[in-house]
PDB file of all heavy atoms in Angstrom:
ATOM      1  N   TYR E  17       0.852  -1.219  -0.030  1.00  0.00           N
ATOM      2  CA  TYR E  17      -0.017  -0.001  -0.040  1.00  0.00           C
ATOM      3  C   TYR E  17       0.841   1.213   0.043  1.00  0.00           C
ATOM      4  O   TYR E  17       0.641   2.205  -0.787  1.00  0.00           O
ATOM      5  CB  TYR E  17      -0.948   0.032   1.197  1.00  0.00           C
ATOM      6  CG  TYR E  17      -1.637   1.334   1.438  1.00  0.00           C
ATOM      7  CD1 TYR E  17      -2.813   1.600   0.716  1.00  0.00           C
ATOM      8  CD2 TYR E  17      -1.179   2.215   2.342  1.00  0.00           C
ATOM      9  CE1 TYR E  17      -3.500   2.827   0.915  1.00  0.00           C
ATOM     10  CE2 TYR E  17      -1.841   3.462   2.500  1.00  0.00           C
ATOM     11  CZ  TYR E  17      -2.986   3.739   1.828  1.00  0.00           C
ATOM     12  OH  TYR E  17      -3.581   4.956   2.010  1.00  0.00           O
ATOM     13  N   HIS E  18       1.890   1.299   0.844  1.00  0.00           N
ATOM     14  CA  HIS E  18       2.702   2.521   0.976  1.00  0.00           C
ATOM     15  C   HIS E  18       3.623   2.628  -0.273  1.00  0.00           C
ATOM     16  O   HIS E  18       3.916   3.757  -0.706  1.00  0.00           O
ATOM     17  CB  HIS E  18       3.504   2.466   2.258  1.00  0.00           C
ATOM     18  CG  HIS E  18       2.700   2.705   3.386  1.00  0.00           C
ATOM     19  ND1 HIS E  18       2.255   3.936   3.789  1.00  0.00           N
ATOM     20  CD2 HIS E  18       2.246   1.861   4.372  1.00  0.00           C
ATOM     21  CE1 HIS E  18       1.515   3.937   4.837  1.00  0.00           C
ATOM     22  NE2 HIS E  18       1.507   2.642   5.284  1.00  0.00           N
ATOM     23  N   ARG E  19       3.952   1.571  -0.925  1.00  0.00           N
ATOM     24  CA  ARG E  19       4.730   1.655  -2.172  1.00  0.00           C
ATOM     25  C   ARG E  19       3.876   2.240  -3.309  1.00  0.00           C
ATOM     26  O   ARG E  19       4.304   3.061  -4.057  1.00  0.00           O
ATOM     27  CB  ARG E  19       5.319   0.293  -2.557  1.00  0.00           C
ATOM     28  CG  ARG E  19       6.057   0.284  -3.875  1.00  0.00           C
ATOM     29  CD  ARG E  19       7.213   1.288  -3.911  1.00  0.00           C
ATOM     30  NE  ARG E  19       8.226   0.922  -2.951  1.00  0.00           N
ATOM     31  CZ  ARG E  19       9.281   0.071  -3.208  1.00  0.00           C
ATOM     32  NH1 ARG E  19       9.343  -0.517  -4.367  1.00  0.00           N
ATOM     33  NH2 ARG E  19      10.115  -0.235  -2.328  1.00  0.00           N
ATOM     34  N   VAL E  20       2.626   1.736  -3.408  1.00  0.00           N
ATOM     35  CA  VAL E  20       1.744   2.187  -4.401  1.00  0.00           C
ATOM     36  C   VAL E  20       1.395   3.681  -4.183  1.00  0.00           C
ATOM     37  O   VAL E  20       1.346   4.518  -5.138  1.00  0.00           O
ATOM     38  CB  VAL E  20       0.460   1.387  -4.458  1.00  0.00           C
ATOM     39  CG1 VAL E  20      -0.608   2.025  -5.363  1.00  0.00           C
ATOM     40  CG2 VAL E  20       0.701   0.005  -4.987  1.00  0.00           C
ATOM     41  N   LYS E  21       1.211   4.092  -2.905  1.00  0.00           N
ATOM     42  CA  LYS E  21       0.921   5.447  -2.602  1.00  0.00           C
ATOM     43  C   LYS E  21       2.072   6.355  -2.946  1.00  0.00           C
ATOM     44  O   LYS E  21       1.920   7.466  -3.459  1.00  0.00           O
ATOM     45  CB  LYS E  21       0.529   5.531  -1.159  1.00  0.00           C
ATOM     46  CG  LYS E  21       0.143   6.941  -0.752  1.00  0.00           C
ATOM     47  CD  LYS E  21      -0.246   6.929   0.727  1.00  0.00           C
ATOM     48  CE  LYS E  21      -0.638   8.420   1.135  1.00  0.00           C
ATOM     49  NZ  LYS E  21      -1.000   8.474   2.600  1.00  0.00           N
ATOM     50  N   ARG E  22       3.290   5.864  -2.660  1.00  0.00           N
ATOM     51  CA  ARG E  22       4.450   6.656  -2.962  1.00  0.00           C
ATOM     52  C   ARG E  22       4.706   6.811  -4.381  1.00  0.00           C
ATOM     53  O   ARG E  22       5.164   7.834  -4.911  1.00  0.00           O
ATOM     54  CB  ARG E  22       5.727   5.971  -2.319  1.00  0.00           C
ATOM     55  CG  ARG E  22       6.985   6.749  -2.250  1.00  0.00           C
ATOM     56  CD  ARG E  22       7.989   6.237  -1.256  1.00  0.00           C
ATOM     57  NE  ARG E  22       8.294   4.873  -1.411  1.00  0.00           N
ATOM     58  CZ  ARG E  22       8.025   3.898  -0.636  1.00  0.00           C
ATOM     59  NH1 ARG E  22       7.374   4.070   0.490  1.00  0.00           N
ATOM     60  NH2 ARG E  22       8.417   2.664  -0.926  1.00  0.00           N
ATOM     61  N   ASN E  23       4.429   5.783  -5.170  1.00  0.00           N
ATOM     62  CA  ASN E  23       4.629   5.854  -6.611  1.00  0.00           C
ATOM     63  C   ASN E  23       3.580   6.750  -7.337  1.00  0.00           C
ATOM     64  O   ASN E  23       3.784   7.068  -8.493  1.00  0.00           O
ATOM     65  CB  ASN E  23       4.577   4.427  -7.287  1.00  0.00           C
ATOM     66  CG  ASN E  23       5.798   3.651  -6.825  1.00  0.00           C
ATOM     67  OD1 ASN E  23       6.829   4.174  -6.347  1.00  0.00           O
ATOM     68  ND2 ASN E  23       5.781   2.345  -7.033  1.00  0.00           N
ATOM     69  N   LYS E  24       2.412   6.900  -6.661  1.00  0.00           N
ATOM     70  CA  LYS E  24       1.349   7.737  -7.206  1.00  0.00           C
ATOM     71  C   LYS E  24       0.884   7.134  -8.575  1.00  0.00           C
ATOM     72  O   LYS E  24       0.442   5.988  -8.614  1.00  0.00           O
ATOM     73  CB  LYS E  24       1.772   9.149  -7.387  1.00  0.00           C
ATOM     74  CG  LYS E  24       2.085   9.762  -6.006  1.00  0.00           C
ATOM     75  CD  LYS E  24       2.486  11.274  -6.161  1.00  0.00           C
ATOM     76  CE  LYS E  24       2.796  11.877  -4.826  1.00  0.00           C
ATOM     77  NZ  LYS E  24       3.206  13.287  -4.883  1.00  0.00           N
ATOM     78  N   GLY E  25       1.022   7.823  -9.684  1.00  0.00           N
ATOM     79  CA  GLY E  25       0.457   7.356 -10.922  1.00  0.00           C
ATOM     80  C   GLY E  25      -0.946   7.720 -11.226  1.00  0.00           C
ATOM     81  O   GLY E  25      -1.681   8.011 -10.261  1.00  0.00           O
ATOM     82  N   CYS E  26      -1.312   7.659 -12.428  1.00  0.00           N
ATOM     83  CA  CYS E  26      -2.664   8.085 -12.868  1.00  0.00           C
ATOM     84  C   CYS E  26      -3.708   6.991 -12.637  1.00  0.00           C
ATOM     85  O   CYS E  26      -3.331   5.847 -12.391  1.00  0.00           O
ATOM     86  CB  CYS E  26      -2.711   8.613 -14.284  1.00  0.00           C
ATOM     87  SG  CYS E  26      -2.300   7.341 -15.494  1.00  0.00           S
ATOM     88  N   ALA E  27      -4.959   7.274 -12.680  1.00  0.00           N
ATOM     89  CA  ALA E  27      -6.041   6.352 -12.460  1.00  0.00           C
ATOM     90  C   ALA E  27      -6.143   5.342 -13.665  1.00  0.00           C
ATOM     91  O   ALA E  27      -5.765   5.684 -14.825  1.00  0.00           O
ATOM     92  CB  ALA E  27      -7.353   7.126 -12.240  1.00  0.00           C
ATOM     93  N   GLY E  28      -6.604   4.221 -13.341  1.00  0.00           N
ATOM     94  CA  GLY E  28      -6.916   3.257 -14.440  1.00  0.00           C
ATOM     95  C   GLY E  28      -8.338   3.404 -14.968  1.00  0.00           C
ATOM     96  O   GLY E  28      -8.870   4.602 -14.936  1.00  0.00           O
ATOM     97  N   ILE E  29      -8.876   2.443 -15.556  1.00  0.00           N
ATOM     98  CA  ILE E  29     -10.138   2.629 -16.312  1.00  0.00           C
ATOM     99  C   ILE E  29     -11.321   2.879 -15.458  1.00  0.00           C
ATOM    100  O   ILE E  29     -12.339   3.424 -15.901  1.00  0.00           O
ATOM    101  CB  ILE E  29     -10.488   1.311 -17.156  1.00  0.00           C
ATOM    102  CG1 ILE E  29     -10.648   0.135 -16.341  1.00  0.00           C
ATOM    103  CG2 ILE E  29      -9.401   1.095 -18.241  1.00  0.00           C
ATOM    104  CD1 ILE E  29     -11.273  -1.060 -17.020  1.00  0.00           C
ATOM    105  N   ASP E  30     -11.190   2.684 -14.110  1.00  0.00           N
ATOM    106  CA  ASP E  30     -12.319   2.893 -13.169  1.00  0.00           C
ATOM    107  C   ASP E  30     -12.279   4.355 -12.666  1.00  0.00           C
ATOM    108  O   ASP E  30     -13.137   4.793 -11.922  1.00  0.00           O
ATOM    109  CB  ASP E  30     -12.346   1.976 -12.049  1.00  0.00           C
ATOM    110  CG  ASP E  30     -11.024   2.008 -11.193  1.00  0.00           C
ATOM    111  OD1 ASP E  30     -10.087   2.772 -11.597  1.00  0.00           O
ATOM    112  OD2 ASP E  30     -10.987   1.324 -10.113  1.00  0.00           O
ATOM    113  N   GLY E  31     -11.224   5.099 -13.019  1.00  0.00           N
ATOM    114  CA  GLY E  31     -11.125   6.498 -12.562  1.00  0.00           C
ATOM    115  C   GLY E  31     -10.744   6.719 -11.159  1.00  0.00           C
ATOM    116  O   GLY E  31     -10.660   7.834 -10.635  1.00  0.00           O
ATOM    117  N   LYS E  32     -10.361   5.612 -10.420  1.00  0.00           N
ATOM    118  CA  LYS E  32      -9.998   5.695  -9.073  1.00  0.00           C
ATOM    119  C   LYS E  32      -8.519   6.053  -8.912  1.00  0.00           C
ATOM    120  O   LYS E  32      -7.648   5.471  -9.487  1.00  0.00           O
ATOM    121  CB  LYS E  32     -10.259   4.407  -8.295  1.00  0.00           C
ATOM    122  CG  LYS E  32     -11.735   3.951  -8.333  1.00  0.00           C
ATOM    123  CD  LYS E  32     -12.588   4.874  -7.571  1.00  0.00           C
ATOM    124  CE  LYS E  32     -14.067   4.348  -7.498  1.00  0.00           C
ATOM    125  NZ  LYS E  32     -14.990   5.240  -6.779  1.00  0.00           N
ATOM    126  N   SER E  33      -8.195   7.077  -8.065  1.00  0.00           N
ATOM    127  CA  SER E  33      -6.836   7.518  -7.815  1.00  0.00           C
ATOM    128  C   SER E  33      -6.290   6.835  -6.602  1.00  0.00           C
ATOM    129  O   SER E  33      -6.976   6.145  -5.875  1.00  0.00           O
ATOM    130  CB  SER E  33      -6.789   9.043  -7.671  1.00  0.00           C
ATOM    131  OG  SER E  33      -7.370   9.377  -6.442  1.00  0.00           O
ATOM    132  N   VAL E  34      -4.975   7.051  -6.334  1.00  0.00           N
ATOM    133  CA  VAL E  34      -4.383   6.541  -5.141  1.00  0.00           C
ATOM    134  C   VAL E  34      -5.075   7.031  -3.901  1.00  0.00           C
ATOM    135  O   VAL E  34      -5.193   6.314  -2.874  1.00  0.00           O
ATOM    136  CB  VAL E  34      -2.838   6.946  -5.108  1.00  0.00           C
ATOM    137  CG1 VAL E  34      -2.233   6.520  -3.814  1.00  0.00           C
ATOM    138  CG2 VAL E  34      -2.114   6.262  -6.246  1.00  0.00           C
ATOM    139  N   ASP E  35      -5.556   8.274  -3.866  1.00  0.00           N
ATOM    140  CA  ASP E  35      -6.248   8.825  -2.750  1.00  0.00           C
ATOM    141  C   ASP E  35      -7.610   8.139  -2.512  1.00  0.00           C
ATOM    142  O   ASP E  35      -8.111   8.168  -1.368  1.00  0.00           O
ATOM    143  CB  ASP E  35      -6.533  10.323  -2.955  1.00  0.00           C
ATOM    144  CG  ASP E  35      -5.278  11.148  -2.971  1.00  0.00           C
ATOM    145  OD1 ASP E  35      -4.195  10.665  -2.409  1.00  0.00           O
ATOM    146  OD2 ASP E  35      -5.148  12.263  -3.580  1.00  0.00           O
ATOM    147  N   ASP E  36      -8.107   7.402  -3.477  1.00  0.00           N
ATOM    148  CA  ASP E  36      -9.391   6.691  -3.322  1.00  0.00           C
ATOM    149  C   ASP E  36      -9.187   5.340  -2.766  1.00  0.00           C
ATOM    150  O   ASP E  36     -10.159   4.653  -2.441  1.00  0.00           O
ATOM    151  CB  ASP E  36     -10.134   6.561  -4.697  1.00  0.00           C
ATOM    152  CG  ASP E  36     -10.553   8.018  -5.230  1.00  0.00           C
ATOM    153  OD1 ASP E  36     -10.893   8.813  -4.464  1.00  0.00           O
ATOM    154  OD2 ASP E  36     -10.386   8.128  -6.542  1.00  0.00           O
ATOM    155  N   LEU E  37      -7.956   4.901  -2.685  1.00  0.00           N
ATOM    156  CA  LEU E  37      -7.641   3.536  -2.341  1.00  0.00           C
ATOM    157  C   LEU E  37      -8.123   3.127  -0.945  1.00  0.00           C
ATOM    158  O   LEU E  37      -8.756   2.049  -0.807  1.00  0.00           O
ATOM    159  CB  LEU E  37      -6.204   3.178  -2.500  1.00  0.00           C
ATOM    160  CG  LEU E  37      -5.768   1.765  -2.309  1.00  0.00           C
ATOM    161  CD1 LEU E  37      -6.545   0.819  -3.293  1.00  0.00           C
ATOM    162  CD2 LEU E  37      -4.253   1.584  -2.646  1.00  0.00           C
ATOM    163  N   PRO E  38      -7.951   3.921   0.057  1.00  0.00           N
ATOM    164  CA  PRO E  38      -8.377   3.510   1.440  1.00  0.00           C
ATOM    165  C   PRO E  38      -9.900   3.252   1.459  1.00  0.00           C
ATOM    166  O   PRO E  38     -10.306   2.261   2.012  1.00  0.00           O
ATOM    167  CB  PRO E  38      -7.958   4.695   2.327  1.00  0.00           C
ATOM    168  CG  PRO E  38      -6.770   5.278   1.675  1.00  0.00           C
ATOM    169  CD  PRO E  38      -7.100   5.136   0.167  1.00  0.00           C
ATOM    170  N   ALA E  39     -10.666   4.124   0.931  1.00  0.00           N
ATOM    171  CA  ALA E  39     -12.140   3.950   0.955  1.00  0.00           C
ATOM    172  C   ALA E  39     -12.516   2.753   0.138  1.00  0.00           C
ATOM    173  O   ALA E  39     -13.430   1.979   0.507  1.00  0.00           O
ATOM    174  CB  ALA E  39     -12.909   5.221   0.381  1.00  0.00           C
ATOM    175  N   LEU E  40     -11.836   2.521  -1.027  1.00  0.00           N
ATOM    176  CA  LEU E  40     -12.151   1.349  -1.781  1.00  0.00           C
ATOM    177  C   LEU E  40     -11.829   0.049  -1.081  1.00  0.00           C
ATOM    178  O   LEU E  40     -12.650  -0.872  -1.105  1.00  0.00           O
ATOM    179  CB  LEU E  40     -11.246   1.461  -3.078  1.00  0.00           C
ATOM    180  CG  LEU E  40     -11.485   0.388  -4.147  1.00  0.00           C
ATOM    181  CD1 LEU E  40     -12.853   0.597  -4.868  1.00  0.00           C
ATOM    182  CD2 LEU E  40     -10.404   0.489  -5.185  1.00  0.00           C
ATOM    183  N   LEU E  41     -10.723   0.045  -0.336  1.00  0.00           N
ATOM    184  CA  LEU E  41     -10.408  -1.182   0.394  1.00  0.00           C
ATOM    185  C   LEU E  41     -11.332  -1.385   1.539  1.00  0.00           C
ATOM    186  O   LEU E  41     -11.730  -2.516   1.848  1.00  0.00           O
ATOM    187  CB  LEU E  41      -8.944  -1.067   0.902  1.00  0.00           C
ATOM    188  CG  LEU E  41      -7.837  -1.143  -0.241  1.00  0.00           C
ATOM    189  CD1 LEU E  41      -6.529  -0.822   0.449  1.00  0.00           C
ATOM    190  CD2 LEU E  41      -7.858  -2.443  -0.886  1.00  0.00           C
ATOM    191  N   LYS E  42     -11.658  -0.338   2.239  1.00  0.00           N
ATOM    192  CA  LYS E  42     -12.615  -0.431   3.374  1.00  0.00           C
ATOM    193  C   LYS E  42     -13.942  -1.094   3.012  1.00  0.00           C
ATOM    194  O   LYS E  42     -14.509  -1.932   3.667  1.00  0.00           O
ATOM    195  CB  LYS E  42     -12.788   0.956   4.010  1.00  0.00           C
ATOM    196  CG  LYS E  42     -13.694   0.881   5.220  1.00  0.00           C
ATOM    197  CD  LYS E  42     -13.767   2.311   5.888  1.00  0.00           C
ATOM    198  CE  LYS E  42     -14.584   2.245   7.215  1.00  0.00           C
ATOM    199  NZ  LYS E  42     -14.745   3.568   7.762  1.00  0.00           N
ATOM    200  N   GLN E  43     -14.383  -0.707   1.762  1.00  0.00           N
ATOM    201  CA  GLN E  43     -15.679  -1.232   1.267  1.00  0.00           C
ATOM    202  C   GLN E  43     -15.556  -2.602   0.655  1.00  0.00           C
ATOM    203  O   GLN E  43     -16.496  -3.464   0.844  1.00  0.00           O
ATOM    204  CB  GLN E  43     -16.225  -0.266   0.261  1.00  0.00           C
ATOM    205  CG  GLN E  43     -17.643  -0.686  -0.235  1.00  0.00           C
ATOM    206  CD  GLN E  43     -18.236   0.363  -1.214  1.00  0.00           C
ATOM    207  OE1 GLN E  43     -17.598   1.360  -1.473  1.00  0.00           O
ATOM    208  NE2 GLN E  43     -19.405   0.043  -1.696  1.00  0.00           N
ATOM    209  N   HIS E  44     -14.492  -2.888  -0.049  1.00  0.00           N
ATOM    210  CA  HIS E  44     -14.431  -4.139  -0.832  1.00  0.00           C
ATOM    211  C   HIS E  44     -13.422  -5.176  -0.504  1.00  0.00           C
ATOM    212  O   HIS E  44     -13.462  -6.235  -1.016  1.00  0.00           O
ATOM    213  CB  HIS E  44     -14.271  -3.700  -2.313  1.00  0.00           C
ATOM    214  CG  HIS E  44     -15.363  -2.824  -2.905  1.00  0.00           C
ATOM    215  ND1 HIS E  44     -16.634  -3.291  -3.106  1.00  0.00           N
ATOM    216  CD2 HIS E  44     -15.331  -1.551  -3.315  1.00  0.00           C
ATOM    217  CE1 HIS E  44     -17.419  -2.344  -3.630  1.00  0.00           C
ATOM    218  NE2 HIS E  44     -16.624  -1.237  -3.701  1.00  0.00           N
ATOM    219  N   TRP E  45     -12.388  -4.795   0.372  1.00  0.00           N
ATOM    220  CA  TRP E  45     -11.279  -5.726   0.554  1.00  0.00           C
ATOM    221  C   TRP E  45     -11.741  -7.096   1.040  1.00  0.00           C
ATOM    222  O   TRP E  45     -11.178  -8.099   0.526  1.00  0.00           O
ATOM    223  CB  TRP E  45     -10.260  -5.101   1.463  1.00  0.00           C
ATOM    224  CG  TRP E  45      -9.075  -6.123   1.665  1.00  0.00           C
ATOM    225  CD1 TRP E  45      -8.811  -6.769   2.806  1.00  0.00           C
ATOM    226  CD2 TRP E  45      -8.187  -6.578   0.683  1.00  0.00           C
ATOM    227  NE1 TRP E  45      -7.716  -7.633   2.613  1.00  0.00           N
ATOM    228  CE2 TRP E  45      -7.352  -7.477   1.309  1.00  0.00           C
ATOM    229  CE3 TRP E  45      -8.027  -6.334  -0.692  1.00  0.00           C
ATOM    230  CZ2 TRP E  45      -6.308  -8.171   0.589  1.00  0.00           C
ATOM    231  CZ3 TRP E  45      -7.035  -6.919  -1.340  1.00  0.00           C
ATOM    232  CH2 TRP E  45      -6.203  -7.884  -0.662  1.00  0.00           C
ATOM    233  N   PRO E  46     -12.609  -7.249   2.026  1.00  0.00           N
ATOM    234  CA  PRO E  46     -12.941  -8.607   2.466  1.00  0.00           C
ATOM    235  C   PRO E  46     -13.435  -9.555   1.320  1.00  0.00           C
ATOM    236  O   PRO E  46     -12.946 -10.666   1.299  1.00  0.00           O
ATOM    237  CB  PRO E  46     -14.101  -8.378   3.502  1.00  0.00           C
ATOM    238  CG  PRO E  46     -13.830  -6.954   3.990  1.00  0.00           C
ATOM    239  CD  PRO E  46     -13.310  -6.198   2.794  1.00  0.00           C
ATOM    240  N   SER E  47     -14.229  -9.019   0.453  1.00  0.00           N
ATOM    241  CA  SER E  47     -14.635  -9.931  -0.653  1.00  0.00           C
ATOM    242  C   SER E  47     -13.589 -10.056  -1.662  1.00  0.00           C
ATOM    243  O   SER E  47     -13.408 -11.228  -2.251  1.00  0.00           O
ATOM    244  CB  SER E  47     -15.889  -9.273  -1.401  1.00  0.00           C
ATOM    245  OG  SER E  47     -15.584  -8.088  -1.962  1.00  0.00           O
ATOM    246  N   ILE E  48     -12.709  -9.109  -1.918  1.00  0.00           N
ATOM    247  CA  ILE E  48     -11.593  -9.215  -2.827  1.00  0.00           C
ATOM    248  C   ILE E  48     -10.638 -10.203  -2.320  1.00  0.00           C
ATOM    249  O   ILE E  48     -10.124 -11.079  -3.061  1.00  0.00           O
ATOM    250  CB  ILE E  48     -10.900  -7.858  -3.127  1.00  0.00           C
ATOM    251  CG1 ILE E  48     -11.868  -6.924  -3.845  1.00  0.00           C
ATOM    252  CG2 ILE E  48      -9.582  -8.008  -3.921  1.00  0.00           C
ATOM    253  CD1 ILE E  48     -11.406  -5.489  -3.876  1.00  0.00           C
ATOM    254  N   LYS E  49     -10.306 -10.152  -1.039  1.00  0.00           N
ATOM    255  CA  LYS E  49      -9.340 -11.095  -0.418  1.00  0.00           C
ATOM    256  C   LYS E  49      -9.888 -12.507  -0.536  1.00  0.00           C
ATOM    257  O   LYS E  49      -9.158 -13.437  -0.816  1.00  0.00           O
ATOM    258  CB  LYS E  49      -9.214 -10.782   1.020  1.00  0.00           C
ATOM    259  CG  LYS E  49      -8.320 -11.694   1.803  1.00  0.00           C
ATOM    260  CD  LYS E  49      -8.118 -11.286   3.280  1.00  0.00           C
ATOM    261  CE  LYS E  49      -7.344 -12.246   4.088  1.00  0.00           C
ATOM    262  NZ  LYS E  49      -7.234 -11.863   5.507  1.00  0.00           N
ATOM    263  N   GLU E  50     -11.117 -12.661  -0.348  1.00  0.00           N
ATOM    264  CA  GLU E  50     -11.766 -14.073  -0.450  1.00  0.00           C
ATOM    265  C   GLU E  50     -11.675 -14.536  -1.878  1.00  0.00           C
ATOM    266  O   GLU E  50     -11.375 -15.715  -2.145  1.00  0.00           O
ATOM    267  CB  GLU E  50     -13.240 -14.030   0.027  1.00  0.00           C
ATOM    268  CG  GLU E  50     -13.847 -15.369   0.010  1.00  0.00           C
ATOM    269  CD  GLU E  50     -13.218 -16.344   1.065  1.00  0.00           C
ATOM    270  OE1 GLU E  50     -12.565 -15.816   1.970  1.00  0.00           O
ATOM    271  OE2 GLU E  50     -13.452 -17.552   0.896  1.00  0.00           O
ATOM    272  N   GLN E  51     -11.898 -13.664  -2.850  1.00  0.00           N
ATOM    273  CA  GLN E  51     -11.788 -14.101  -4.274  1.00  0.00           C
ATOM    274  C   GLN E  51     -10.315 -14.471  -4.592  1.00  0.00           C
ATOM    275  O   GLN E  51     -10.141 -15.432  -5.232  1.00  0.00           O
ATOM    276  CB  GLN E  51     -12.196 -12.869  -5.152  1.00  0.00           C
ATOM    277  CG  GLN E  51     -13.675 -12.533  -5.130  1.00  0.00           C
ATOM    278  CD  GLN E  51     -13.966 -11.276  -5.957  1.00  0.00           C
ATOM    279  OE1 GLN E  51     -13.460 -11.106  -7.062  1.00  0.00           O
ATOM    280  NE2 GLN E  51     -14.828 -10.405  -5.345  1.00  0.00           N
ATOM    281  N   LEU E  52      -9.392 -13.765  -4.041  1.00  0.00           N
ATOM    282  CA  LEU E  52      -7.931 -14.140  -4.267  1.00  0.00           C
ATOM    283  C   LEU E  52      -7.660 -15.461  -3.641  1.00  0.00           C
ATOM    284  O   LEU E  52      -7.015 -16.286  -4.292  1.00  0.00           O
ATOM    285  CB  LEU E  52      -7.078 -13.010  -3.747  1.00  0.00           C
ATOM    286  CG  LEU E  52      -7.026 -11.689  -4.483  1.00  0.00           C
ATOM    287  CD1 LEU E  52      -6.327 -10.605  -3.588  1.00  0.00           C
ATOM    288  CD2 LEU E  52      -6.294 -11.826  -5.762  1.00  0.00           C
ATOM    289  N   LEU E  53      -8.081 -15.674  -2.479  1.00  0.00           N
ATOM    290  CA  LEU E  53      -7.797 -16.938  -1.750  1.00  0.00           C
ATOM    291  C   LEU E  53      -8.512 -18.134  -2.418  1.00  0.00           C
ATOM    292  O   LEU E  53      -8.022 -19.233  -2.401  1.00  0.00           O
ATOM    293  CB  LEU E  53      -8.179 -16.861  -0.280  1.00  0.00           C
ATOM    294  CG  LEU E  53      -7.296 -15.967   0.543  1.00  0.00           C
ATOM    295  CD1 LEU E  53      -7.919 -15.782   1.978  1.00  0.00           C
ATOM    296  CD2 LEU E  53      -5.895 -16.504   0.674  1.00  0.00           C
ATOM    297  N   GLN E  54      -9.679 -17.837  -3.024  1.00  0.00           N
ATOM    298  CA  GLN E  54     -10.394 -18.930  -3.713  1.00  0.00           C
ATOM    299  C   GLN E  54      -9.959 -19.078  -5.191  1.00  0.00           C
ATOM    300  O   GLN E  54     -10.426 -20.046  -5.809  1.00  0.00           O
ATOM    301  CB  GLN E  54     -11.964 -18.652  -3.615  1.00  0.00           C
ATOM    302  CG  GLN E  54     -12.447 -18.700  -2.209  1.00  0.00           C
ATOM    303  CD  GLN E  54     -12.262 -20.047  -1.532  1.00  0.00           C
ATOM    304  OE1 GLN E  54     -12.483 -21.044  -2.139  1.00  0.00           O
ATOM    305  NE2 GLN E  54     -11.906 -19.966  -0.224  1.00  0.00           N
ATOM    306  N   GLY E  55      -9.119 -18.186  -5.673  1.00  0.00           N
ATOM    307  CA  GLY E  55      -8.681 -18.300  -7.044  1.00  0.00           C
ATOM    308  C   GLY E  55      -9.675 -17.753  -8.004  1.00  0.00           C
ATOM    309  O   GLY E  55      -9.531 -18.014  -9.275  1.00  0.00           O
ATOM    310  N   GLY E  56     -10.585 -16.946  -7.597  1.00  0.00           N
ATOM    311  CA  GLY E  56     -11.601 -16.383  -8.550  1.00  0.00           C
ATOM    312  C   GLY E  56     -11.510 -14.937  -8.978  1.00  0.00           C
ATOM    313  O   GLY E  56     -12.351 -14.442  -9.633  1.00  0.00           O
ATOM    314  N   TYR E  57     -10.467 -14.261  -8.409  1.00  0.00           N
ATOM    315  CA  TYR E  57     -10.344 -12.843  -8.682  1.00  0.00           C
ATOM    316  C   TYR E  57     -10.060 -12.544 -10.189  1.00  0.00           C
ATOM    317  O   TYR E  57      -9.209 -13.152 -10.811  1.00  0.00           O
ATOM    318  CB  TYR E  57      -9.273 -12.154  -7.855  1.00  0.00           C
ATOM    319  CG  TYR E  57      -9.117 -10.683  -8.063  1.00  0.00           C
ATOM    320  CD1 TYR E  57     -10.073  -9.781  -7.565  1.00  0.00           C
ATOM    321  CD2 TYR E  57      -8.086 -10.134  -8.893  1.00  0.00           C
ATOM    322  CE1 TYR E  57      -9.883  -8.483  -7.784  1.00  0.00           C
ATOM    323  CE2 TYR E  57      -7.957  -8.890  -9.173  1.00  0.00           C
ATOM    324  CZ  TYR E  57      -8.822  -8.014  -8.589  1.00  0.00           C
ATOM    325  OH  TYR E  57      -8.729  -6.655  -8.831  1.00  0.00           O
ATOM    326  N   GLN E  58     -10.843 -11.551 -10.769  1.00  0.00           N
ATOM    327  CA  GLN E  58     -10.692 -11.124 -12.138  1.00  0.00           C
ATOM    328  C   GLN E  58     -10.211  -9.729 -12.222  1.00  0.00           C
ATOM    329  O   GLN E  58     -10.952  -8.787 -11.890  1.00  0.00           O
ATOM    330  CB  GLN E  58     -12.043 -11.321 -12.870  1.00  0.00           C
ATOM    331  CG  GLN E  58     -12.668 -12.683 -12.990  1.00  0.00           C
ATOM    332  CD  GLN E  58     -11.846 -13.527 -14.090  1.00  0.00           C
ATOM    333  OE1 GLN E  58     -11.106 -12.917 -14.835  1.00  0.00           O
ATOM    334  NE2 GLN E  58     -12.070 -14.767 -14.045  1.00  0.00           N
ATOM    335  N   PRO E  59      -8.935  -9.492 -12.623  1.00  0.00           N
ATOM    336  CA  PRO E  59      -8.517  -8.144 -12.755  1.00  0.00           C
ATOM    337  C   PRO E  59      -9.253  -7.373 -13.882  1.00  0.00           C
ATOM    338  O   PRO E  59      -9.857  -8.014 -14.735  1.00  0.00           O
ATOM    339  CB  PRO E  59      -6.997  -8.339 -13.277  1.00  0.00           C
ATOM    340  CG  PRO E  59      -6.696  -9.833 -12.978  1.00  0.00           C
ATOM    341  CD  PRO E  59      -7.970 -10.525 -13.077  1.00  0.00           C
TER     342      PRO E  59
END
């Protein structure tokens, strides 16, 4: 997280910036983590 924040960079196709990442993780990380652990995550 701190490396991505330090590198900054522009938003991807969803328009979310590095500053949006904490709120994004707070809302979606539990389900994303489960998808990763189950092998079903789709980038």
